[in-house]
Amino acid sequence: MTFLHRYTIILAIAAAAVLTACGVDRNIKRGEKHLALGEYFEASNEFKQAYSKTPAKERTKRGQVAARLALCYDKINSTQKAIAAYRNVIRYKQDSIGTHYALGRQLMKNGNYKEAAQEFQIVLDSLPDHQLAREGLLSAKGAPGWKEEGSRYIVKKIELFNSRRAEYSPMLFGDQYDQLYFTSTRNEAQGDELSAITGTKPGDIFFSQKDDKGKWSKPEAVTSGLNSAYDEGACCFSVDGREMYLTQCSSDPSYPRYAKIMTASRSDAAWGAPKVLEITRDTLSSYAHPAVSPDGNWLYFVSDMPGGQGGLDIWRVRITGGGLGGVENVGRPINTEGDEMFPTFRPNGDLYFSSDGHQGMGGLDIFIATVGKDRRWHIEHPGYPLNSAGDDFGMTFEGPHNRGYFSSNRGDGRGWDHIYSFELPEIIQTAKGWVYEQDGYELPAAQVYMVGNDGTNQKLPVKSDGSFEQVLKPGVDYIFMATCKGYLNHKEELHIVQTDESEEHVMQFPLPSISVPVMIDNIFYDFDKATLRPESTTALDELVQLLNENPNVTIELSAHCDYKGSDAYNKRLAQRRAESVVTYLIEHGIASDRLTPMGYGKEKPKVIRKKLAERFTWLKEGDVLTEDYIKQLSEEKQEICNQLNRRTEFIVLRTTYGMFDKDGNMTSPPPKPKKQLEPDDDEGWEIEF
């Protein structure tokens, strides 16, 4: 080889080295730009190229690039790659205390508890007061025992809901909990571009429907404008089911991504396009993971806004008729120096959330916060298998039962979240009731009050089908009162005894209208007489109870006949029958001046209401069962109409009986309302593990 050839090769090698160095710097610069915007997947690709191009002898630079790469893998839940990258940082002596703490957390997520303990100990040797490292060390030492001990939870992966990408934050919806909403980054999500944050499609909200046989349908994306090209997820619903709260992360090529909470309204069984919910005027903080308290009075959410305990905290804001009230941090012991996320409520008021700041088994663990008799939050760790070495979060409950769904990335080498079912077998007693207009439809606008002799005093939310559910305590006597504007009240009583099996106590609350006649079913008279038959007693006693529950009401008690027979005879018979019912009511304690007997004979034929038209499809709402109308029908239908005309009913005349004296003053002014106590989150705390 000539000198010229040798010199040419040396120049080529030098030029390649210069180009490589320029390429590394270019990759690093692009990686830092992506990192500043939170685009961890794209940043990891740039840092990975920079690392592979950096010569092994450039140990300092190689270690620095490995640190950025480790951070990106950490953020996108690529646990094993993150562990390898953190170890390279240590190998090239570019590590800090933060490196060892972060490595310890990743080793916990991988189930390497012994190695994780060593990393946390390194941190504590230098910083003895590092609270998160102390909790991490205790977790690493305790997790193997908690896993071996286990719990009564039954956990199963639900393949139908899962894909080869991420599914998380399931939320049951519907009066029968027969719809499941969740977030997924599967290929069916909207948009053609992959997220620079995760390397997958941006998340969309999907749902699955359960049929009458209990089988779930294949998940489909929610249409009607709810999803967009951005990330949507972690949704929840208002108590009445009319509003959805969800998290959205929009994209901006020159601005960091901040999560925000949106609301969408339900109309005609479809969700509308979401709108931003302004919680504060702080535009530099994230707001995510909404959860509505069972009473509908509070919106809980997650934020990194100033004033927290550290990392991401759980906050809450009061929901009022005029909008949102003041924001407050729920404080300790729920929030820690770590991250607390994904709050959700069980209908009994227990708050479930996920945290990496409390002692756990690795990653995010699920914790349960309950308010004790001391009115303070108490924290419980439900153990394995509900929790695992991976991230466990996003609970949803099937009504009052301790079963439902949650999300976890346990056992997934790529860190994808998937949906699991859970159940904790338990013995619970519940009340389930329906509130509806007598002879009519459900009353979702009704209110149900529950009072127990143990001091319980609650207002229970009524769902769109007029139903409500509530967990009951053994040994307690309960009174339930259903009310609704324009209707009379109805009361039911329950005595709950200890049982060996779960039991559901079903109650009906038919509320009579104060504006239309109300049919009294099962009133029977002797043929062609006004004598009440013995089988009428049950219906009459229910009417006595109704009048006692509504002491300020006066009624007209009317009896009606069919068109057969003379007008005068029918009217006399109807009057005597109405008087027979009034006599019974008076004999059972109802004041006579609250009752007006009226016999109409055939003067007021039955007017068909919608509910009755659904039962007899050949009748239409508004039809009047006159003699001429009936005689046009077949014999079978004529007899049905005559039966409908032969009826006893009442209509409310006044709703102010006994409320005012002769001078117009109220006889007994309503008592001043007592102050309603709220759980005081600012008082002391106690943690139980």
Side-chain angles (χ1 to χ4, degrees):
M1 181 180 292
T2 66
F3 175 79
L4 181 60
H5 286 156
R6 193 182 303 120
Y7 183 69
T8 302
I9 292 173
I10 292 173
L11 286 177
I13 293 173
V18 171
L19 290 174
T20 298
C22 292
V24 169
D25 291 339
R26 192 160 47 245
N27 288 130
I28 292 174
K29 186 175 181 179
R30 286 199 293 256
E32 293 292 352
K33 184 177 180 179
H34 285 301
L35 191 59
L37 294 173
E39 298 173 345
Y40 303 112
F41 180 79
E42 292 294 345
S44 70
N45 288 336
E46 296 295 340
F47 290 130
K48 182 179 180 180
Q49 292 183 53
Y51 184 83
S52 63
K53 293 176 182 178
T54 302
K57 64 181 180 180
E58 295 186 28
R59 299 179 62 83
T60 298
K61 191 167 190 176
R62 204 166 163 85
Q64 291 171 345
V65 175
R68 308 306 273 169
L69 188 57
L71 174 62
C72 294
Y73 287 145
D74 195 321
K75 292 291 187 180
I76 61 176
N77 280 330
S78 188
T79 301
Q80 293 179 344
K81 290 182 178 180
I83 290 173
Y86 281 126
R87 282 178 168 159
N88 280 334
V89 177
I90 297 171
R91 173 188 175 189
Y92 290 115
K93 300 187 184 304
Q94 296 302 305
D95 54 308
S96 64
I97 293 299
T99 305
H100 292 277
Y101 173 70
L103 176 57
R105 288 183 61 247
Q106 292 299 312
L107 290 167
M108 287 286 295
K109 292 183 71 171
N110 208 42
N112 300 343
Y113 295 127
K114 186 175 181 179
E115 296 175 57
Q118 294 172 353
E119 297 300 323
F120 291 133
Q121 189 60 60
I122 291 173
V123 176
L124 292 171
D125 287 343
S126 298
L127 298 173
D129 295 330
H130 196 297
Q131 181 63 30
L132 291 177
R134 184 181 297 111
E135 295 290 337
L137 181 59
L138 292 173
S139 297
K141 292 181 177 180
W146 300 329
K147 184 174 183 179
E148 184 177 351
E149 180 182 356
S151 70
R152 294 173 57 242
Y153 277 96
I154 301 171
V155 172
K156 297 178 182 178
K157 188 176 182 181
I158 307 300
E159 297 297 344
L160 175 66
F161 299 146
N162 296 312
S163 69
R164 299 178 64 183
R165 294 294 183 262
E167 284 79 31
Y168 60 92
S169 291
M171 186 58 59
L172 285 164
F173 180 70
D175 297 323
Q176 305 303 318
Y177 311 101
D178 55 359
Q179 297 176 49
L180 185 73
Y181 288 77
F182 61 90
T183 302
S184 178
T185 62
R186 63 186 64 193
N187 292 334
E188 290 83 359
Q190 288 190 23
D192 298 323
E193 297 183 3
L194 300 182
S195 168
I197 304 173
T198 63
T200 65
K201 286 278 195 77
D204 274 356
I205 295 179
F206 285 71
F207 81 103
S208 176
Q209 178 83 41
K210 185 192 290 186
D211 63 20
D212 294 339
K213 297 180 180 179
K215 183 179 179 181
W216 290 100
S217 65
K218 181 181 177 181
E220 298 178 358
V222 178
T223 56
S224 72
L226 182 69
N227 291 314
S228 70
Y230 301 138
D231 271 294
E232 283 89 20
C235 69
C236 73
F237 304 97
S238 60
V239 171
D240 61 12
R242 297 172 184 172
E243 293 287 327
M244 175 191 288
Y245 296 84
L246 64 150
T247 307
Q248 186 183 85
C249 296
S250 56
S251 300
D252 189 323
S254 61
Y255 201 71
R257 287 164 169 75
Y258 294 103
K260 51 194 174 187
I261 293 176
M262 316 286 287
T263 60
S265 298
R266 186 175 178 85
S267 177
D268 297 328
W271 295 104
K275 300 177 181 178
V276 177
L277 179 68
E278 185 179 276
I279 296 176
T280 74
R281 297 184 181 277
D282 178 0
T283 60
L284 298 179
S285 298
S286 291
Y287 304 87
H289 308 167
V292 177
S293 62
D295 59 10
N297 291 334
W298 294 94
L299 176 66
Y300 285 66
F301 62 96
V302 172
S303 180
D304 58 356
M305 73 174 88
Q309 308 297 321
L312 295 172
D313 273 15
I314 296 175
W315 300 69
R316 71 176 189 173
V317 60
R318 186 178 286 277
I319 302 172
T320 70
L324 299 181
V327 172
E328 58 186 58
N329 189 286
V330 302
R332 296 181 183 274
I334 292 176
N335 290 321
T336 68
E337 289 83 354
D339 290 332
E340 280 69 45
M341 296 184 276
F342 299 100
T344 190
F345 282 93
R346 191 177 170 188
N348 66 358
D350 292 348
L351 172 63
Y352 286 67
F353 66 97
S354 293
S355 171
D356 62 10
H358 293 285
Q359 292 178 46
M361 300 188 66
L364 291 170
D365 269 28
I366 294 169
F367 292 86
I368 309 170
T370 58
V371 178
K373 293 182 179 179
D374 56 1
R375 303 186 60 76
R376 300 176 181 179
W377 287 109
H378 298 256
I379 309 299
E380 175 190 354
H381 185 278
Y384 179 86
L386 189 63
N387 285 311
S388 68
D391 292 323
D392 305 291
F393 60 97
M395 304 279 286
T396 185
F397 293 88
E398 187 182 327
H401 305 286
N402 203 340
R403 63 174 181 254
Y405 301 93
F406 73 108
S407 38
S408 176
N409 58 23
R410 63 186 66 189
D412 191 299
R414 300 187 64 186
W416 301 127
D417 302 312
H418 300 295
I419 293 176
Y420 291 75
S421 69
F422 73 91
E423 180 175 7
L424 180 62
E426 59 180 352
I427 298 174
I428 62 171
Q429 296 198 62
T430 58
K432 183 162 188 177
W434 278 268
V435 188
Y436 52 93
E437 54 178 326
Q438 193 163 317
D439 300 327
Y441 295 89
E442 60 274 358
L443 291 171
Q447 294 180 338
V448 176
Y449 298 90
M450 180 181 76
V451 178
N453 61 359
D454 65 338
T456 299
N457 191 343
Q458 291 180 249
K459 185 173 78 170
L460 307 180
V462 176
K463 302 174 187 175
S464 59
D465 67 345
S467 70
F468 66 89
E469 286 182 277
Q470 180 64 31
V471 176
L472 306 173
K473 299 177 184 177
V476 178
D477 293 331
Y478 292 98
I479 294 176
F480 295 83
M481 179 70 80
T483 68
C484 188
K485 186 177 181 181
Y487 297 85
L488 300 182
N489 300 332
H490 183 80
K491 181 177 71 175
E492 291 287 338
E493 299 183 13
L494 284 180
H495 173 66
I496 307 304
V497 297
Q498 189 72 50
T499 62
D500 296 328
E501 296 181 355
S502 294
E503 185 176 355
E504 184 178 74
H505 303 269
V506 178
M507 297 177 290
Q508 304 287 337
F509 294 83
L511 303 190
S513 171
I514 64 174
S515 58
V516 298
V518 178
M519 182 82 167
I520 308 173
D521 289 324
N522 301 317
I523 298 290
F524 304 101
Y525 307 91
D526 286 340
F527 177 72
D528 212 23
K529 295 181 180 180
T531 307
L532 288 165
R533 295 180 60 82
E535 54 264 40
S536 303
T537 302
T538 300
L540 291 170
D541 288 344
E542 290 176 354
L543 182 55
V544 170
Q545 179 183 342
L546 177 68
L547 291 169
N548 284 329
E549 291 169 357
N550 298 270
N552 302 120
V553 165
T554 66
I555 64 170
E556 176 189 280
L557 197 293
S558 60
H560 305 262
C561 300
D562 56 33
Y563 64 82
K564 299 176 182 179
S566 69
D567 292 352
Y569 177 81
N570 279 340
K571 192 164 185 177
R572 286 196 303 272
L573 178 61
Q575 181 66 32
R576 287 163 45 218
R577 286 180 170 180
E579 290 171 353
S580 294
V581 175
V582 166
T583 298
Y584 185 96
L585 299 177
I586 293 172
E587 289 174 349
H588 287 77
I590 305 301
S592 60
D593 58 349
R594 296 179 60 193
L595 308 169
T596 302
M598 290 295 296
Y600 287 104
K602 63 176 184 180
E603 290 178 10
K604 293 189 175 184
K606 179 77 173 178
V607 178
I608 301 302
R609 298 182 66 192
K610 186 176 180 180
K611 192 74 171 180
L612 201 57
E614 290 180 354
R615 179 181 171 190
F616 301 105
T617 55
W618 44 274
L619 292 173
K620 299 191 299 297
E621 183 181 6
D623 284 349
V624 182
L625 303 185
T626 62
E627 182 177 353
D628 291 340
Y629 179 93
I630 294 173
K631 286 183 175 180
Q632 299 176 24
L633 304 174
S634 67
E635 288 187 9
E636 181 183 357
K637 292 178 180 179
Q638 284 187 35
E639 179 53 31
I640 291 174
C641 290
N642 284 328
Q643 289 177 5
L644 293 174
N645 271 334
R646 297 192 294 266
R647 67 198 189 276
T648 303
E649 59 190 16
F650 72 85
I651 188 168
V652 175
L653 300 177
R654 292 170 53 203
T655 58
T656 57
Y657 173 83
M659 293 178 62
F660 301 93
D661 60 23
K662 62 180 181 179
D663 298 321
N665 299 316
M666 290 194 70
T667 55
S668 55
K672 294 181 179 179
K674 296 180 180 179
K675 180 181 179 182
Q676 296 296 313
L677 298 176
E678 296 284 348
D680 188 350
D681 298 332
D682 295 324
E683 294 183 3
W685 311 101
E686 180 179 338
I687 299 178
E688 297 174 356
F689 197 88

